[in-house]
Structures are given as C-alpha cells and as structure tokens.
Amino acid sequence: MFCEKCGAKNKEYAKFCEKCGAPIQETQAAGAIQPERGAARLHRKQIIAGSIVLLVILACVIGYLVYANSQKQAAYTGKLQSADKYLQALDYEHAEADYLEAIDIEPKKEEAYIKLADVYTMQGKQDKAIEILKTGKKKAGGKALELKLKKLNISPKGGSAQYQAYYDLCMEYQRKYGAPGHRKWGDEDIYDLTGLCAVKLMDFDGDGNEELLLGYADQASGVQYAYEVWAWQENKLIQVLEPTGSMHSNGELAWIQTVVKDGKIYIWGYSYDEFIEQYLCMKDGKFTAEYEIECDFVSPTVKLNGKDVNTTVWHDLEDEFGWYAESGLQYRDDQKGTINIPLGFVQKSETNAVLEMTQTTLETLKERGTEKSTKNAEQRQAYYDLCMKYQEKYGRPGYKELGSKDENGIWESWDAIGLAGLCAIALIDFNNDGNQELVLGYESPADDRVVHQYEIWAWRNNALVNVLKPTECSHDEDAVDWIETTIYDGKVYLVQDEAGMKYNYLSYDGETFKNEIELIDDYYNKEHKINGKPVSAEEVSAFNKKMNRKISAEDGWQNADVYFNENPKIVLPLRWLTEEMASQVLGESAETLQSLKQ
C-alpha cells in the first residue's frame, strides 16, 4: 500500500504512513471490500451444496427406476415361465391367463404375444391367434411378430387357389392309394396305416407359405410307405421332395419325422440298404441334404458330408437334432415344426392320432379352398331342400315302440324301438372325389308292413341326381333294419343285406352304384359263395374281417344293432334298437341337417 502524500510504501493494513505520518486514505475502501468477498464465498458454498443435493436426488430417482424396472422384468419373466409350464402340460386356460398378464406387465415386448398365439393355434382358434398378433404388432412391433402374423394371416383371395390345389392333389392321391385307414396285425393290438394316411401343412422354409407333406402306403411300387412334399410356387404345384421310402425292418416301425434346429425344419431320413442317414432342409425352393452321414457298421466307419469322422461326432449331431430311438412308436406334434408320424406296426391309439391329424388337415384345405364355395353353397341348399321335401312326405324324425309280445303280453327279448319319419341323414364321399353324396333313410309303410328304405343322391352338373333308387333295408318284419357302409382297399362300399343270406357290396364310380362283390352266406343250407365261387365258412369269416365289417364278438355275425359312425364307415340301425341308439342316430342326422342349412 502506498501513501498518497509522499508515495512511500507501507504495510498492507497500515492506517498512517510510516515516513510522513499522514493518514492513509484507502483504509475505508479496503475495509468496505471485505463483506463482498465473504458473500461470494458463501454463495459458492450454497451452489456446491445445492448441486450435491440435486445429485443425491437424481441418484435416488435413477436407482428407484432401475429397481422398479428390474421388478417389472422379474414379474414379466415369472409370468412367461409359469405360462410355459402350463402350456407344456397342455393346460391352455391357465397358460392363456398368464400370457395375458405378462402382456399387461410389458405390452411392448413381443414374446408373450407370440406364445399366446401358439396357445390359440394349438386349440384351433386361428382368428384369436391372428387378433392377438395384430395387437402385438401395433403395441410392440418386431420382425418375429410380423413373420408369425404372416404365417397365420393368410388372405382368402391369395390362398384359395393354393389350398384348393393342395386339396385336389390329396383327392387324387386318395383315389390312387386309398382313403386314410388302418388294418390290424393278427390278434395283437398292432396296426398299419393304409391309403393316404398322413397329410400335414408345414412351412419348411419359414417364408410364411405352407408346403404340403403327404405320406401313404404304396404297395404297388414295392415301397410299403413313402412320403413327399409339394409347394405352391408361381401359382402352380411343384413337387419339392421326390417320393422317399420310409421303411424300417421290412416295413415295420415306419414313420415320418421332422425336427427343428437353429430355426430350420429338417426332415430326417434313413436308408437301411445304403446305411445313409440324412437331415434335409428346404432351400431355394427345394429340399437338399444339409447333413448326410454314411455309416458302415462292419468297419465301422462314419462319414459326415463325405469326410471321415468318429462315431462321437455322429452321435453328437443326433443329440443336437433331438433324435431318439423310440421316436417311431409315438405320435407327436409340437405345432412348431417338430413332428413324429408313426405309419406302421404301432398301436391303434397312435394310428388314430395320425388319422385325426390327416382328417383335420383335409378339412382345413377344403375350407381354405374357396373357389368352389358358391357351388358348395348351391349343393348344400339343394340337399337341404330335398330333406325338407322328404320330411314333409314321410314325417319328422322320431321313434316309437315296435315288436311283438309273447302269450303273456311281455315284450320279446329284442329291444322294441323303431325310428320314424325321415330318420337318417348322412353325407358320405363314396368315390373320393371331394364331393359328398347324400344318404337318406326313412320309414315307409308298404303292404301293411312298416319297413325302412334308403336312397342316395348326388350333386352333378349343378343339379341333384338320384344315383341309388329307394332300397328296402329288410324283407323280414322282425329283422333289424340298418344302413351300412364299409371301407376296403381305399374304396367306400355300400353293403346291402338280403335277409341275412346274401350281401352285395356296391361301389360308386361317380355315375351309378354297381355290385362289385356278391357274398352268399346261407348257413342253413351250408352254401357259401363269393362272386359265384364256392368257399368255406372260414373263408367267409376271413372275407368279413378283410372287408372291415362290424363283427359281433359274441356270435360272429354282423352286429347291426350297434350304432357307430366312423365317417365314411357307418352302421345306422333303424329298427329293433335301444332308445339310446335311437337318440344317437337322430342326433347325428339333426347335426347333418343343420350343417346343410348353414
């Protein structure tokens, strides 16, 4: 600090000049500055403190959000896991509830939408599956959702020609190889599937367009079972997998198997003759062997795609594909691409599962092929109108007591119920052309007797045609009246019984019914003939079994007083039956009539 009077330098806080003694004037100014410096320091401290508080609050908020999000994710994952377990146990109701809760928790995640769509698809609820996927696409988006929706949401305009072509192909193969069915091996519970026995829609290449897998028993070519795959490309049918034999141990334990690996669907194949195992997948519109294994059990040597490998590599590959030795004995379908379709030398329950799958697929193809919908509507209306005319003529469906009493006024041991009016209505495709014929059975008084008659109508050239004239069920008033069809070698036969001594097996060629087989089984006179050729009683019994007729376990004769309907194989009892069976026949007829009305 300097003195203003003499200019001498003094100490910083001196009040008087050490040289001249004059008072130093800056004293007040210097003193006045001090409070300002203190305020600045205080202000800086306040800013720092406030910043720290804000950082702490921000850290708490972030921590809370992270915690809340982790809890939300845990709840979402928990619901998915719970739903997955329910789905694995085929408990669709609880699986659906948990997937819906997962969607409520995380509406912007796509996994729950996709899995819920699977739940609906497995139950045959296609519309609900499409609806939930559309909701997911709107709220969550994602390529997986779009692909799933593309696979399910097939527009009728774009897909009708494809599915009609698939259906027509199936009908062609059914005529060639026979209708789906099965036959028994001896007295054991072992069966083989027959005819066009395996029909399945699968999207092998994941492009949203389904291919058609066909499996059939091809006796003529020497291959007991074969399968092939067809696709719809450039608006026409293309065979993308040539007929491949599925034969194990001379036809036993034959099956079709597909497995999923890395998102691809592979068809597994094996040749016992060449010891070659293949895993084929669809690429560029056709099937190729992505993995081919040559196994020489004599050496033993193993080659994978032409290169020598040890057996461990082979078995590891099989483990990756989920192949297992007992797979051919049990039907399975996880709806995602992994299937196992047993064809030969399996239990009846397994053949029933395959036949149910085939029937469901054929119905789906028929429904999606809408090109003939107008024609079908006209046909159904014509059939329905005809039923109404016959109902007006012969009376409404019902039943009444029949039969005779002994000298004591007690009913005979026979059940005494007879169907009345237009009592039997059935739709059966007799010639496997995809077009059903209409079978009508009704009560018709004749010569003071109450008898039942049946006749068959077809839809040909956009008009109703009577292809089987009215035929009396029985010539004996006290006999059981019934209508019967059976299946043999892919054909549907109408079986006519003449007083229990003569049986005519009629087949339909699309024009008329012709008597193809005549069986005489006169047990009183011991006369047995098939198409005029004498045969033994044992040969007649073998013939009945071959023709898949319903045989009574008690007496070995036709058991027509038992109702059954394994369309197109039926036995419809009309007279001398129980009230329960009468209700069954009338119920089936009412359902058929309702389907025509719709």
Side-chain angles (χ1 to χ4, degrees), residues 28 60 86 198 214 219 225 238 322 327 454 477 498 521 582:
Q28 287 184 343
C60 290
Y86 282 126
L214 300 178
Q219 305 290 345
Y225 291 103
I238 301 293
S327 58
Y454 62 91
E477 186 178 3
E498 296 184 15
D521 188 17

Side-chain angles (χ1 to χ4, degrees), residues 235-256:
N235 294 320
K236 61 182 179 181
L237 279 175
I238 301 293
Q239 190 172 37
V240 292
L241 180 65
E242 298 294 327
T244 304
S246 179
M247 185 161 60
H248 300 259
S249 302
N250 297 322
E252 297 180 8
L253 302 179
W255 69 85
I256 305 170

Side-chain angles (χ1 to χ4, degrees), residues 230-460:
W230 290 77
W232 183 251
Q233 298 173 3
E234 298 179 357
N235 294 320
K236 61 182 179 181
L237 279 175
I238 301 293
Q239 190 172 37
V240 292
L241 180 65
E242 298 294 327
T244 304
S246 179
M247 185 161 60
H248 300 259
S249 302
N250 297 322
E252 297 180 8
L253 302 179
W255 69 85
I256 305 170
Q257 183 178 11
T258 69
V259 291
V260 178
K261 181 179 182 294
D262 299 330
K264 295 180 182 179
I265 300 177
Y266 291 83
I267 292 182
W268 177 82
Y270 189 81
S271 170
Y272 271 101
D273 296 332
E274 300 176 352
F275 301 112
I276 294 178
E277 182 178 3
Q278 291 182 325
Y279 293 93
L280 301 96
C281 66
M282 190 173 175
K283 292 180 179 179
D284 301 324
K286 62 181 180 180
F287 276 87
T288 57
E290 188 165 307
Y291 300 94
E292 183 174 276
I293 303 167
E294 299 177 54
C295 322
D296 185 350
F297 295 102
V298 178
S299 302
T301 60
V302 177
K303 288 186 177 182
L304 174 59
N305 294 340
K307 296 181 179 180
D308 292 329
V309 296
N310 58 43
T311 55
T312 303
V313 174
W314 172 29
H315 294 312
D316 287 345
L317 185 64
E318 288 185 333
D319 290 339
E320 286 181 36
F321 276 97
W323 186 89
Y324 55 101
E326 298 298 323
S327 58
L329 302 178
Q330 186 174 3
Y331 170 82
R332 66 187 245 241
D333 181 0
D334 67 1
Q335 304 289 328
K336 297 178 182 179
T338 297
I339 64 170
N340 199 70
I341 305 175
L343 302 175
F345 207 73
V346 289
Q347 293 184 343
K348 187 177 183 181
S349 59
E350 302 302 328
T351 62
N352 285 341
V354 176
L355 293 176
E356 183 178 352
M357 174 203 72
T358 296
Q359 185 62 34
T360 300
T361 305
L362 289 174
E363 290 172 0
T364 299
L365 293 176
K366 194 171 184 180
E367 289 172 3
R368 292 184 183 178
T370 57
E371 289 184 338
K372 298 182 180 179
S373 60
T374 302
K375 171 186 168 183
N376 290 339
E378 293 175 359
Q379 176 182 350
R380 289 196 303 271
Q381 188 63 51
Y383 280 172
Y384 180 77
D385 292 342
L386 182 65
C387 289
M388 291 299 99
K389 289 180 181 179
Y390 273 53
Q391 188 167 283
E392 183 178 351
K393 182 178 180 179
Y394 297 107
R396 296 179 62 82
Y399 58 86
K400 57 188 177 184
E401 290 184 340
L402 293 176
S404 58
K405 299 178 181 179
D406 62 18
E407 63 275 10
N408 299 317
I410 300 174
W411 288 103
E412 299 282 358
S413 59
W414 290 82
D415 289 302
I417 294 292
L419 296 181
L422 178 62
C423 49
I425 305 172
L427 291 169
I428 297 176
D429 183 3
F430 281 96
N431 60 331
N432 295 324
D433 66 348
N435 194 25
Q436 293 176 311
E437 286 70 50
L438 178 67
V439 181
L440 299 177
Y442 48 87
E443 177 193 20
S444 176
D447 301 330
D448 297 325
R449 297 181 296 116
V450 177
V451 298
H452 290 88
Q453 291 182 321
Y454 62 91
E455 53 190 87
I456 301 176
W457 292 75
W459 181 254
R460 191 188 306 150

